[in-house]
Amino acid sequence: MKTVLTIVLIQFFSIVTAHAQTVHLSVAASMTDAFKEIISVFATQHPKAELLPNFASSGSLAKQIEQGAPADFYVSANPKWMKYLVEKKIITPESSHIFAYNKLVFVGDKNLAVSSLKSLLGLQRIALGSPGSVPAGQYAKQAMEKVGIYAELAEKKKLIMAKDVRQALMYADRGEVDGAFIYTTDAMLAGNAKILFTVPQDLYDQVAYPMGLTGSGAGNAMAKAFYQYMGTPEAKQILTKYGFEPAH
């Protein structure tokens, strides 16, 4: 009887230990490649860690987390959705902070004669992430509104909404649209599309990436270890490699 009880207890604690090593990461789509490498490097240093990333638009991730999707660690492509989860008491306030920056660019065929936002009026199909849930799309809309072209483009149905910034890039890369608003970091991954111009920074809010731990993440030792790792020179070097500007 004691032997059976001992086996049951060992199995129970093995399950608990294994669970404690699992970290659910919800990460903005534009950080996909950088985080894949960061996760890989962290995993070599923590062999018992099981890191399960979920890459999607910041708004989609925030809604998933709010609805109960497993998440220990969250990265948003703008402070808006992080603030949303903090106010919902899902992200621990003390863990939320900006750790990287990015820039908005417009990409398309290298022979396309556009060099500014106003010149987009001559195009027929322009891709951007849906402003309601995709920060890159929100920034693009903000910039277009500032120069007074968004309403006209929308009215003429020239704006093609993408589920996230990577889909907008894919549309441009395949030539399915004339061009797309994406981040500098995504442009580094383009096969055919080229940067036609950088959107002036004074036309939209700075692209800032906050990260934070959920309540479950704050109680997960491995999640906290990963969170701390994100502040190391090694992690910052990987971010820089993929075109991000680490916060100091």
Side-chain angles (χ1 to χ4, degrees), residues 155-173:
E155 185 181 343
K156 293 182 177 179
K157 303 187 185 315
K158 291 186 175 184
L159 300 176
I160 309 302
M161 300 302 174
K163 68 178 182 179
D164 57 37
V165 71
R166 290 300 172 86
Q167 188 175 64
L169 169 60
M170 182 183 70
Y171 288 159
D173 234 7

Side-chain angles (χ1 to χ4, degrees), residues 203-217:
L203 296 179
Y204 64 99
D205 296 334
Q206 186 174 28
V207 183
Y209 290 78
M211 67 177 184
L213 292 170
T214 62
S216 64

Side-chain angles (χ1 to χ4, degrees), residues 137-226:
Q138 181 185 347
Y139 295 131
K141 178 182 179 182
Q142 190 179 19
M144 286 188 280
E145 286 179 334
K146 279 262 183 94
V147 298
I149 65 171
Y150 185 82
E152 182 177 343
L153 290 172
E155 185 181 343
K156 293 182 177 179
K157 303 187 185 315
K158 291 186 175 184
L159 300 176
I160 309 302
M161 300 302 174
K163 68 178 182 179
D164 57 37
V165 71
R166 290 300 172 86
Q167 188 175 64
L169 169 60
M170 182 183 70
Y171 288 159
D173 234 7
R174 291 179 177 177
E176 296 173 2
V177 295
D178 296 317
F181 285 98
I182 62 173
Y183 295 126
T184 302
T185 49
D186 297 298
M188 294 171 66
L189 307 171
N192 300 309
K194 305 297 180 185
I195 294 178
L196 300 177
F197 64 87
T198 298
V199 180
Q201 181 61 73
D202 60 348
L203 296 179
Y204 64 99
D205 296 334
Q206 186 174 28
V207 183
Y209 290 78
M211 67 177 184
L213 292 170
T214 62
S216 64
N220 182 328
M222 192 61 73
K224 288 195 290 185
F226 183 81

Side-chain angles (χ1 to χ4, degrees), residues 5 15 18 55 95 115 118 121 156 161 164 190 193:
L5 180 60
I15 292 171
F55 299 106
S95 72
S115 57
K118 288 194 174 180
L121 291 172
K156 293 182 177 179
M161 300 302 174
D164 57 37

